[in-house]
Amino acid sequence: MIIAIDGPAAAGKGTLARRLAEHFGLEMLDTGLLYRAVGLKTVRDGADPGDAQAAVRAARSLSSTDLEDVALRSEEAAAAASKVGSIAAVRDVMLDFQRSFARTQPGAVIDGRDIGTEVCPDADVKIFVTARSEVRAHRRLKELRARGVDAIHGRVLQDMKERDARDAERDVAPLKPAEDAFVIDTGDMDADAVFAAALDFITSRNRSG
Ligand code: DC
């Protein structure tokens, strides 16, 4: 079974993906981490994350140790990820890895922006999680402060809006729900309720299919 989970930043994709992977005994891939690693590598190579040649070079040379860097969780890495993510040639390099991961047995939960639309259009289950940007910015702020990062709400909200706009308005693989995705607005829900709603959807689909 392949479960695709898409949605904007801090909508709750990661938590839901982890819980579903655990519940069904599936492998899990956070594709945001791949784009963050490419973005960070491009910047560390001294290039601008909007520089297609440099970003493709970084994408091609990505190794598993690049995915373990704690700096990947920073807001700088997120912004760089969003910029390299709008380059078609970078997405092409990422596609093979993501698709071969999706073939892992007995299946995988993959989260990102374009999993249900581009990476795995034939996924068994597609879920799109979303919430108002104010709610998501508040969550991200709490997360950052818990990690000891000094952040202010207005700045986090503005960065998030910019990133959402770039991810949703780009020409290649923009952020949007697949036509057959189950949409969950997580704004007024806690992680348990989101998990329960997703599980309900998957169970009813499996029963009818
Ligand atoms: O999921 P995240 O916030 O860690 O993702 C960081 C950025 O990476 C996001 O703003 C856009 C890019 N990204 C993408 O373009 N496609 C994906 N499948 C996942 C992430």
Side-chain angles (χ1 to χ4, degrees):
M1 174 162 68
I2 297 175
I3 302 178
I5 303 182
D6 291 302
K13 299 185 297 292
T15 307
L16 178 60
R18 214 170 306 117
R19 292 186 68 167
L20 289 175
E22 225 167 77
H23 182 84
F24 290 108
L26 304 171
E27 294 298 317
M28 184 194 145
L29 177 66
D30 169 3
T31 63
L33 213 56
L34 300 177
Y35 287 93
R36 284 170 183 256
V38 175
L40 198 62
K41 206 166 191 179
T42 308
V43 172
R44 283 187 178 156
D45 287 344
D48 186 285
D51 177 339
Q53 269 190 355
V56 167
R57 215 179 306 124
R60 289 205 178 115
S61 65
L62 212 61
S63 70
S64 53
T65 50
D66 292 323
L67 301 177
E68 287 157 19
D69 197 319
V70 288
L72 294 179
R73 295 167 68 202
S74 70
E75 293 306 275
E76 291 73 24
S82 173
K83 288 177 186 157
V84 297
S86 59
I87 301 168
V90 168
R91 305 200 74 84
D92 278 348
V93 177
M94 298 288 128
L95 207 53
D96 285 347
F97 176 77
Q98 295 173 87
R99 286 196 175 144
S100 61
F101 190 93
R103 288 192 288 271
T104 312
Q105 291 304 325
V109 182
I110 307 186
D111 82 76
R113 301 290 186 289
D114 61 336
I115 310 305
T117 50
E118 300 283 338
V119 179
C120 301
D122 297 328
D124 303 280
V125 174
K126 298 180 188 178
I127 298 174
F128 191 89
V129 285
T130 187
R132 282 188 302 119
S133 52
E134 284 76 10
V135 173
R136 292 185 287 110
H138 186 71
R139 283 183 191 154
R140 179 53 50 88
L141 188 71
K142 264 176 60 183
E143 221 176 273
L144 289 169
R145 287 190 176 155
R147 294 205 317 253
V149 179
D150 193 16
I152 51 167
H153 184 267
R155 184 61 205 266
V156 172
L157 178 62
Q158 191 191 331
D159 287 353
M160 191 168 276
K161 282 184 171 167
E162 272 173 29
R163 189 146 69 93
D164 286 349
R166 198 184 303 116
D167 295 346
E169 287 162 20
R170 67 187 177 213
D171 294 332
V172 53
L175 164 71
K176 65 170 181 210
E179 274 176 20
D180 50 349
F182 176 58
V183 179
I184 307 178
D185 187 327
T186 66
D188 295 320
M189 295 165 93
D190 64 12
D192 285 345
V194 176
F195 176 63
L199 209 53
D200 251 15
F201 170 69
I202 297 170
T203 316
S204 64
R205 257 193 67 106
N206 287 349
R207 219 181 286 128
S208 63

